[in-house]
Amino acid sequence: MTESKIKVDHLTKVFFKKNSSVTAIRDICLDIKEGEFVCLLGPSGCGKTTLLRILAELETPSTGSYHITPGKAGKPLQSMIFQEQGVIPWMTVQNNVSFGLRMRHASKKELNERTEYYLNKVGLWEFRHLYPSEISGGMKQRVSIARAFANDPEILLMDEPFAALDEQNKFILQEELLNIWEETHKTVVFITHSIDEALLLSDRIFLMSAQPGTILREKKIDLPRPRSIELVRSNPQMGKEFVDIWQHLQETVQQHRDKAL
Amino acid sequence: MKESSNHITRSESIERQLWRRKVRRTRAFQTLTIASPILLLVVWEILSRTAMIDPRFFPPPTTIIVEFFHLAATGQLFHHVGISLYRILGGFLMGVIPAIIIGLLMGMYLPVRYTLQPLVMALMPIPTLALMPIIIIVFGINDLSKMITIAGSVFFPVLINTVAGVTNIDHIYVDIAKNYGAKSKDYFFKIALPGALPMMMEGIQMGQAIALLTIVAAEMIGANSGIGYLIWTKYKTFVLKDMYVGLVLISFFGYLFSLLLRALQRKLIPWQK
């Protein structure tokens, strides 16, 4: 747990449009260790998604750089779990899960094994021949999760994967995610605006400010794993952490508002 | 206890009544759908037989049906229908296949789109039928020239719908493909083609109707066979009953092709409810 997996070095992204520019993130530096579960927590519009999209190679940084330590040859560097609607409607559940493996032309054996394993893992084996339009929102997010894990990347990037789900489904999926993650302990960067979610999942939380998005503070969450929602909820220390983070976020939102006025 | 079970039976009987009413309504609508064309034919028959409309121009439908069997018995009809279907199918494929390929390329690659867009916009309004004389000079009076005419008319609606289909693919699927390392060939077959398919099929459906419109007109201009030729010569020799047989056949095939394409659509796009 000491080796550095993701290094982000003074990363800045400016969006330029019609002579006006918006600094989405400014001067972000991160050092995330192998096997760490990290949450980026901040108000909406604070550039969390921009940072994740840069790591996912969907966006290029304006200045600064990042490095993800590669693993075995042939293994993908990163896979992203998108927000809702992240499953491809014209592929069956099974073909969605195996998408990454098919795109990188994994061997038939590996493809079948990994797809079957993760379909079972998220409880969708019986539903493998259905199309996304025939399954519920929670099941779709399970497909997204299975697809990312089946692809076996070095790191996982998750962009508010549970934001669109109802509360019960969210709790269930958070625990399922933790269960699957415990098996592999892959390095995860997880974006959320939910303090509860961050406390439940993370080893470390980075608190972000809005416009420009910068990292204000980091917090270590030392709860033992495996964790459960009951455990986190009933832990008085976590209650204090919640209030602390909440006050901090409130302050930054307030400051931002004052600046705007 | 007893009261509550009474209550349940009462609710049930109310719901059952409502359901029956709903079934009756649906049946009524279905009857309307079937009845309206039949009613039209009956009115036509009566008006024509009582000479309230001129039976020379509008012969009674029953005589058209008799004439159909008469023409069919001579074997003439099958010859015309066969040759027309051959031309339609050939022309349709010659139009649809390049339209899909060029449409996908225009949708996927901006340089291709910006180069071809003005050409498409400028060429689209020209009716291919107006180009028939040129097509005949170049290709001769044969089946090929008719197919090319049909292909020309089918091409544009399919092309435009295919381009729109690709450009309307939700950006998140493009992101997923990129993030999971799709190369351009995979992107073409796994994202662009299936993503554009629903709109593409609508274009093909439109193209099918246009192909029928075009074949009749094309066979009127330069042909000595086909349904269009049949309609035209019977009109010129004032055998209007036979002309109507030709018109009914076109209508029948239009309906048949629509049904076939809908079936194909359900087969090709199983993810759409």
Side-chain angles (χ1 to χ4, degrees):
Chain A
M1 285 275 285
T2 48
E3 224 176 298
S4 168
K5 191 73 192 172
I6 310 170
K7 249 205 160 102
V8 177
D9 193 23
H10 298 282
L11 210 63
T12 298
K13 175 75 183 178
V14 180
F15 287 105
F16 193 80
K17 213 188 234 171
K18 270 194 189 166
N19 298 324
S20 71
S21 62
V22 177
T23 309
I25 49 171
R26 193 172 67 195
D27 220 16
I28 302 260
C29 294
L30 291 172
D31 191 348
I32 297 164
K33 289 176 187 61
E34 169 89 59
E36 227 182 347
F37 201 125
V38 161
C39 275
L40 296 173
L41 179 65
S44 38
C46 75
K48 310 172 285 218
T49 299
T50 306
L51 177 56
L52 205 71
R53 286 177 65 85
I54 290 173
L55 293 176
E57 288 171 49
L58 296 173
E59 214 82 70
T60 49
S62 306
T63 55
S65 66
Y66 67 94
H67 180 74
I68 302 168
T69 313
K72 261 190 282 170
K75 257 175 74 168
L77 222 46
Q78 44 80 22
S79 292
M80 180 127 154
I81 297 176
F82 291 84
Q83 288 182 19
E84 50 164 351
Q85 304 307 330
V87 289
I88 300 167
W90 47 87
M91 292 178 194
T92 57
V93 166
Q94 179 170 340
N95 284 340
N96 261 296
V97 172
S98 66
F99 184 66
L101 293 160
R102 286 188 287 136
M103 289 304 105
R104 61 186 173 91
H105 304 286
S107 71
K108 195 115 203 125
K109 185 168 162 279
E110 189 190 3
L111 192 147
N112 288 337
E113 274 175 11
R114 296 195 68 86
T115 307
E116 190 183 331
Y117 183 77
Y118 282 103
L119 274 172
N120 276 316
K121 206 73 208 168
V122 296
L124 288 176
W125 177 249
E126 291 144 77
F127 304 99
R128 64 190 182 283
H129 296 308
L130 294 184
Y131 285 98
S133 63
E134 299 167 301
I135 60 176
S136 69
M139 285 156 98
K140 280 185 212 170
Q141 266 333 21
R142 286 189 175 89
V143 173
S144 270
I145 292 170
R147 177 176 59 201
F149 276 94
N151 198 30
D152 198 18
E154 286 299 310
I155 67 165
L156 287 162
L157 306 169
M158 307 191 189
D159 184 12
E160 302 196 45
F162 308 136
L165 298 178
D166 63 79
E167 187 127 310
Q168 279 95 41
N169 249 315
K170 192 189 287 190
F171 290 158
I172 294 168
L173 270 152
Q174 284 166 347
E175 292 203 343
E176 277 184 26
L177 173 66
L178 279 180
N179 270 331
I180 300 174
W181 178 76
E182 296 283 353
E183 287 181 356
T184 54
H185 268 274
K186 281 188 190 298
T187 314
V188 177
V189 182
F190 190 105
I191 279 183
T192 182
H193 58 246
S194 154
I195 303 172
D196 277 321
E197 191 164 72
L199 288 174
L200 171 68
L201 301 172
S202 334
D203 294 315
R204 251 193 313 167
I205 301 175
F206 292 101
L207 294 179
M208 287 183 75
S209 68
Q211 271 191 3
T214 51
I215 290 185
L216 294 173
R217 255 171 76 186
E218 64 167 275
K219 235 176 202 316
K220 252 187 137 52
I221 306 298
D222 280 328
L223 275 185
R225 295 182 186 271
R227 297 177 187 168
S228 70
I229 287 165
E230 294 89 341
L231 221 77
V232 175
R233 281 274 162 118
S234 60
N235 185 316
Q237 181 59 32
M238 288 301 115
K240 274 188 209 140
E241 294 285 11
F242 183 96
V243 174
D244 183 41
I245 294 172
W246 170 235
Q247 280 170 345
H248 186 90
L249 286 178
Q250 249 184 334
E251 265 167 46
T252 57
V253 171
Q254 194 57 48
Q255 273 168 12
H256 183 239
R257 219 175 268 164
D258 291 345
K259 243 195 303 185
L261 280 175
Chain B
M1 187 65 194
K2 200 175 167 204
E3 210 169 272
S4 84
S5 78
N6 263 341
H7 196 70
I8 287 166
T9 29
R10 224 172 74 80
S11 310
E12 221 183 74
S13 79
I14 287 172
E15 285 300 325
R16 189 177 299 138
Q17 262 176 8
L18 285 175
W19 178 75
R20 277 212 193 109
R21 206 177 295 164
K22 224 168 104 185
V23 171
R24 241 177 280 141
R25 270 173 72 87
T26 341
R27 260 191 220 138
F29 287 137
Q30 282 168 344
T31 324
L32 278 179
T33 311
I34 300 165
S36 71
I38 292 176
L39 188 71
L40 180 76
L41 289 174
V42 169
V43 172
W44 178 1
E45 181 86 25
I46 293 168
L47 291 178
S48 178
R49 289 222 181 259
T50 55
M52 286 171 82
I53 53 174
D54 195 328
R56 284 172 307 169
F57 301 129
F58 304 102
T62 45
T63 62
I64 295 172
I65 295 169
V66 172
E67 189 59 26
F68 168 78
F69 285 111
H70 179 71
L71 277 178
T74 64
Q76 232 194 101
L77 200 56
F78 294 110
H79 170 67
H80 288 303
V81 168
I83 199 87
S84 282
L85 287 182
Y86 169 65
R87 288 166 182 162
I88 290 171
L89 193 71
F92 185 68
L93 292 179
M94 278 166 66
V96 167
I97 294 168
I100 290 174
I101 295 169
I102 297 172
L104 286 174
L105 292 174
M106 278 176 75
M108 281 171 62
Y109 302 110
L110 286 178
V112 180
R113 193 188 311 166
Y114 283 104
T115 312
L116 294 183
Q117 193 100 293
L119 295 177
V120 170
M121 285 193 284
L123 291 176
M124 191 170 52
I126 300 175
T128 9
L129 281 171
L131 293 175
M132 257 221 99
I134 302 286
I135 294 172
I136 288 175
I137 288 170
V138 176
F139 297 97
I141 301 186
N142 51 21
D143 288 341
L144 182 66
S145 64
K146 267 129 223 125
M147 288 181 188
I148 286 171
T149 312
I150 294 173
S153 330
V154 169
F155 180 78
F156 289 103
V158 178
L159 177 83
I160 290 196
N161 270 48
T162 306
V163 176
V166 179
T167 49
N168 281 334
I169 293 175
D170 198 323
H171 204 267
I172 193 163
Y173 307 132
V174 182
D175 280 349
I176 295 169
K178 245 195 242 172
N179 186 253
Y180 283 85
K183 309 277 184 299
S184 33
K185 185 184 135 234
D186 284 319
Y187 181 74
F188 191 91
F189 286 108
K190 301 272 160 45
I191 305 290
L193 183 64
L197 208 49
M199 281 198 80
M200 205 191 288
M201 284 305 291
E202 293 302 324
I204 289 174
Q205 189 72 258
M206 241 193 290
Q208 169 269 127
I210 293 172
L212 281 167
L213 296 176
T214 312
I215 187 67
V216 175
E219 286 173 344
M220 284 177 179
I221 298 171
N224 45 26
S225 58
I227 301 178
Y229 169 80
L230 180 83
I231 294 171
W232 187 240
T233 47
K234 297 299 177 181
Y235 165 72
K236 281 203 294 196
T237 52
F238 213 65
V239 191
L240 291 192
K241 260 186 266 178
D242 290 15
M243 182 195 82
Y244 277 106
V245 170
L247 290 180
V248 170
L249 277 173
I250 288 294
S251 151
F252 167 74
F253 282 113
Y255 189 68
L256 182 72
F257 293 158
S258 288
L259 288 184
L260 287 177
L261 282 175
R262 287 277 166 244
L264 183 70
Q265 203 166 2
R266 274 195 293 275
K267 190 109 193 125
L268 286 178
I269 315 175
W271 61 89
Q272 239 180 11
K273 274 187 285 188

